[in-house]
Amino acid sequence: MTSRLLMPVRTVLTDRTRGAEAPAGDVPGSTRPTPILDREHPLVTALVARVLRESEARGAVTDRARLQVAHGILVTAVRPVYSVEDRRRVSRTLRLGRGSCSQRMAVLEAVARSLGVETRVRGLLVDGTFWYPRFPKLRAFVPEEVLLAWPEFRLDGADGPTGADGDNGADASTGADASAWVPIAELFTGLGPAEHGGGFTNSGAETLFEAVARTTVDWDAPAACAGSAPCDLSAHLRTDLGRFSSRDELFDLHGQTLCRPARTLAEPVLGRWSVGAAA
């Protein structure tokens, strides 16, 4: 049994109920800083400088390759914890040296924007039971649903074959390369659960942030996942809230997973609780 008592009152506006809003391919992204993605902060600019140095050393010349380098740096530089403050500034996450899956994705977004890569997010309401393996003795306190900001990056068509809006990165009339929206799960191409130690199970020390570099992760039951259930997380998706120009906009409209009193009580503990530690 999951809990609704810890959650804010949320009015869900899906793509179908919003009606007048633009389809996914038309929702713009941005490279601008936001209150969460404070990319102009010295800690963020220092991280970007490190990404550029290591990218040059490794011969990573495309935006996709640089983001892969940045992801690898964050895996080791920011300790994964169960923090519940989704609106935490990227600079604070870097200062603390620890962050949730969502907070580390925000850092990657800030790096991308600093590199001139537009980002946006897809709002996903994920069933709380998806987190049961992490909290087997605390299931009664797991929220009924978790709001996840799933990042997408606008990359050159030459960087990858297919984007989140179905664009294959090429102009049909001229054959020229064009940009396409690429979800974080597709930053690392050519992955499959069979060749990389199985799919993501949301248990142990690995979070979604690490998993995207190792195995296929998808919320839409794509054909590529047919007969390969570990890759398909669509059964855990309750509601697709659509795309938003920033995670700030998503949280402005739909709030965070936990209500403020619950976050205030939980953050001192969960914000230091390492992922994979016994629950």
Side-chain angles (χ1 to χ4, degrees):
M1 178 178 180
T2 49
S3 175
R4 289 201 64 87
L5 297 177
L6 307 178
M7 299 166 55
V9 176
R10 179 178 293 121
T11 300
V12 174
L13 298 176
T14 66
D15 281 338
R16 286 177 293 180
T17 57
R18 283 190 283 190
E21 292 198 15
D26 295 333
V27 175
S30 177
T31 60
R32 294 192 300 271
T34 72
I36 298 176
L37 307 177
D38 56 342
R39 65 174 181 80
E40 296 174 335
H41 190 280
L43 288 175
V44 183
T45 58
L47 172 61
V48 173
R50 178 182 173 185
V51 169
L52 290 173
R53 287 195 306 271
E54 295 197 15
S55 294
E56 182 177 6
R58 301 181 194 183
V61 297
T62 66
D63 289 333
R64 180 190 293 269
R66 293 188 186 102
L67 290 177
Q68 290 173 349
V69 170
H71 180 276
I73 290 172
L74 293 174
V75 165
T76 58
V78 182
R79 177 169 62 93
V81 294
Y82 294 117
S83 175
V84 294
E85 291 290 352
D86 287 331
R87 299 192 70 118
R88 174 166 291 163
R89 293 176 182 268
V90 163
S91 58
R92 179 159 176 75
T93 297
L94 292 174
R95 181 181 293 111
L96 292 172
R98 61 179 186 266
S100 67
C101 183
S102 177
Q103 290 164 353
R104 291 184 293 159
M105 288 182 185
V107 178
L108 188 61
E109 286 181 70
V111 171
R113 291 190 175 207
S114 296
L115 295 175
V117 176
E118 292 184 16
T119 75
R120 66 183 186 185
V121 298
R122 181 182 178 190
L124 305 174
L125 286 176
V126 181
D127 198 304
T129 59
F130 183 54
W131 277 267
Y132 275 4
R134 296 200 177 278
F135 303 101
K137 299 178 181 178
L138 300 173
R139 291 183 177 183
F141 297 99
V142 175
E144 185 176 31
E145 56 192 19
V146 173
L147 178 57
L148 181 62
W150 196 244
E152 297 179 350
F153 307 87
R154 196 163 185 85
L155 299 178
D156 229 13
D159 280 359
T162 305
D165 50 12
D167 188 348
N168 66 0
D171 187 311
S173 61
T174 66
D177 286 329
S179 57
W181 285 107
V182 177
I184 186 172
E186 295 178 17
L187 279 180
F188 297 83
T189 57
L191 299 178
E195 297 87 3
H196 295 79
F200 179 66
T201 60
N202 209 10
S203 60
E206 183 181 66
T207 73
L208 279 167
F209 187 78
E210 287 86 15
V212 296
R214 179 187 64 81
T215 188
T216 304
V217 175
D218 205 292
W219 300 100
D220 295 310
C225 287
S228 178
C231 148
D232 174 17
L233 301 181
S234 62
H236 302 286
L237 179 60
R238 283 189 163 202
T239 309
D240 185 345
L241 299 174
R243 269 78 175 184
F244 300 82
S245 294
S246 70
R247 61 181 50 234
D248 302 65
E249 180 187 2
L250 170 64
F251 296 137
D252 284 345
L253 289 173
H254 295 285
Q256 300 181 57
T257 295
L258 298 182
C259 62
R260 184 186 294 272
R263 295 198 308 272
T264 301
L265 292 172
E267 181 62 26
V269 176
L270 295 179
R272 292 173 172 79
W273 189 345
S274 294
V275 171

